Amino acid sequence: MHEPSFAGNEWAYVKECLDTGWVSSVGAFVDRLEADLANFTGVKRAIAVVNGTAALHICLILAGVEAGDEVLIPALTFVATANAVSYCGGVPHFVDSELHTLGVDPKRLAVYLTETAEVRDSGCYNRHTGRRIKAVVPMHTFGHPVDLDELAAVCRQFRLELIEDAAESLGSYYKGSHTGNIGRLAALSFNGNKIVTTGGGGAILTNDEALAARAKHLTTTAKVPHRWEFNHDRIGYNYRLPNLNAALGCAQLEQLPGFLANKRRLAQSYAAAFAGAEGIRFISEPGFARSNYWLNALLLDEEHSGQRDALLALTNDGGVMTRPAWNLMHRLPMFAGCPRMELPVAESLERRLINIPSSARLAEG
């Protein structure tokens, strides 16, 4: 579906780690990766961590999510978004998507919160459960940015923290700004199937220097700096990215502009190929955004949704990997009892969406 490409300095940088012995949780490549990420995305600080789920977990902690709090997340997302909320003792609260971004629908969310939520001096509360609603976590689905300005306005109205699940959107831009710059915090993923990989890894993005310092402290076991003593001032997390993985990431970031150009050519080829097709269309970036097209996707017309599985079987049997969207979060047994709004668009997308091969190398040459 999305294979990594290693055509740059990966071997040289990883060999440097092996030659010097700096393979674990500290090293020059960790510092360099954080600086390179901040420079590329335009945020003030990036903190490298062991994976994207860990990044999102720390974002939620830093945003003040506590046990019993509800966090609004899309029903159409990868399970890591909901899992990270649960790690905090929070309750995922599922919201619907919109067709042109595949992400959270700000307009319908505003209407829903007007009916469901009550804003008090101490925050926003769910009238039905009595629990505090602390944050909204939009996920930039397949690299397509959600409408962040409208969503930020909803957050201001209802006193909610905005945290971007940008795991899939490295190289995507919303109205000229890289994703991760609108929310107070954002999380990236560098899993092996992402546009840039460190093997396994992720990063926290923020424009708040104080939050960045706290993120670095929490993800390095909350160890108080000292030349030899092991003092820890709170419960921390061993979420440090090894230097070996960071070395791979530095080499990958050097090639990111080329990856993005190839993926845009591939998306344009798909769009042209399916332009005249009946009953199915290629999903293109929203008008206000420039997507990295991490995973390309097709959408069957509603009347053809019953043919999705036959199409998946036909392509996979023929050696072409395709797959459906994720199962909606409220259908998973551990989240079945979580609060949710009506989800007609997410349920429609679940029935009709098909991902198709998206590796950058498919557009080479």
Side-chain angles (χ1 to χ4, degrees):
M1 185 62 60
H2 195 288
E3 295 178 338
S5 177
F6 303 120
N9 288 314
E10 289 89 351
W11 283 102
Y13 292 170
V14 170
K15 185 176 185 300
E16 182 178 332
C17 294
L18 299 176
D19 289 343
T20 61
W22 292 100
V23 298
S24 193
S25 56
V26 293
F29 284 111
V30 175
D31 296 337
R32 175 177 164 185
L33 179 64
E34 292 178 340
D36 289 350
L37 282 170
N39 182 63
F40 184 86
T41 60
V43 300
K44 290 182 179 178
R45 291 286 301 279
I47 298 91
V49 294
V50 70
N51 55 52
T53 311
L56 191 53
H57 180 202
I58 296 299
C59 287
L60 291 163
I61 291 173
L62 293 173
V65 174
E66 298 176 350
D69 286 344
E70 294 182 7
V71 177
L72 300 162
I73 68 171
L76 181 67
T77 188
F78 182 57
V79 70
T81 316
N83 282 343
V85 174
S86 299
Y87 296 166
C88 299
V91 179
H93 187 150
F94 302 119
V95 301
D96 205 10
S97 301
E98 58 182 358
L99 281 174
H100 76 289
T101 68
L102 308 180
V104 171
D105 185 331
K107 290 184 174 65
R108 288 195 58 227
L109 179 60
V111 172
Y112 175 70
L113 288 174
T114 299
E115 299 168 347
T116 305
E118 177 184 347
V119 178
R120 308 174 190 166
D121 291 343
S122 54
C124 181
Y125 288 81
N126 187 327
R127 290 193 180 100
H128 305 293
T129 66
R131 292 186 291 250
R132 181 174 67 164
I133 305 174
K134 181 61 179 177
V136 179
V137 184
M139 197 265 289
H140 301 302
T141 311
F142 309 141
H144 300 306
V146 303
D147 192 338
L148 288 164
D149 283 346
E150 284 207 30
L151 196 54
V154 175
C155 289
R156 288 190 297 270
Q157 180 182 353
F158 290 94
R159 298 183 60 187
L160 302 169
E161 297 283 0
L162 176 59
I163 302 166
E164 295 179 54
D165 184 346
E168 301 173 359
S169 66
L170 181 62
S172 295
Y173 292 82
Y174 173 76
K175 296 183 178 179
S177 294
H178 196 283
T179 54
N181 276 278
I182 304 298
R184 192 176 179 202
L185 294 143
L188 294 176
S189 172
F190 308 130
N191 190 34
N193 65 348
K194 295 300 188 290
I195 192 164
V196 157
T197 184
T198 59
I204 299 159
L205 304 180
T206 184
N207 286 305
D208 187 318
E209 292 283 1
L211 284 180
R214 289 177 58 200
K216 192 69 171 178
H217 186 58
L218 280 178
T219 57
T220 54
T221 69
K223 184 178 183 296
V224 179
H226 193 280
R227 287 192 296 164
W228 59 78
E229 290 186 355
F230 287 89
N231 290 323
H232 304 262
D233 60 5
R234 61 164 295 167
I235 294 173
Y237 302 88
N238 190 6
Y239 284 170
R240 298 170 291 184
L241 183 72
N243 198 51
L244 199 64
N245 296 86
L248 189 67
C250 288
Q252 288 273 286
L253 273 177
E254 291 173 348
Q255 302 166 80
L256 180 54
F259 293 160
L260 291 168
N262 281 346
K263 289 179 69 59
R264 179 157 288 272
R265 282 195 291 270
L266 178 62
Q268 290 169 345
S269 296
Y270 277 138
F274 286 94
E278 292 186 8
I280 193 168
R281 69 176 178 87
F282 179 74
I283 294 178
S284 297
E285 63 198 358
F288 53 67
R290 184 175 179 86
S291 175
N292 66 4
Y293 284 101
W294 171 58
L295 285 188
N296 292 298
L298 302 174
L299 193 64
L300 291 166
D301 290 352
E302 188 64 60
E303 60 266 31
H304 299 299
S305 61
Q307 297 176 283
R308 187 202 67 179
D309 288 353
L311 183 54
L312 290 169
L314 180 68
T315 49
N316 281 278
D317 288 348
V320 177
M321 180 177 282
T322 59
R323 71 182 190 197
W326 313 281
N327 291 338
L328 298 185
M329 291 299 99
H330 70 286
R331 302 197 198 282
L332 303 181
M334 59 281 198
F335 300 126
C338 292
R340 65 180 187 269
M341 65 186 289
E342 293 297 315
L343 304 167
V345 176
E347 290 170 351
S348 176
L349 289 169
E350 181 190 37
R351 291 191 297 269
R352 300 191 287 140
L353 195 144
I354 298 173
N355 288 124
I356 56 179
S358 302
S359 305
R361 66 176 183 82
L362 294 177
E364 291 177 355

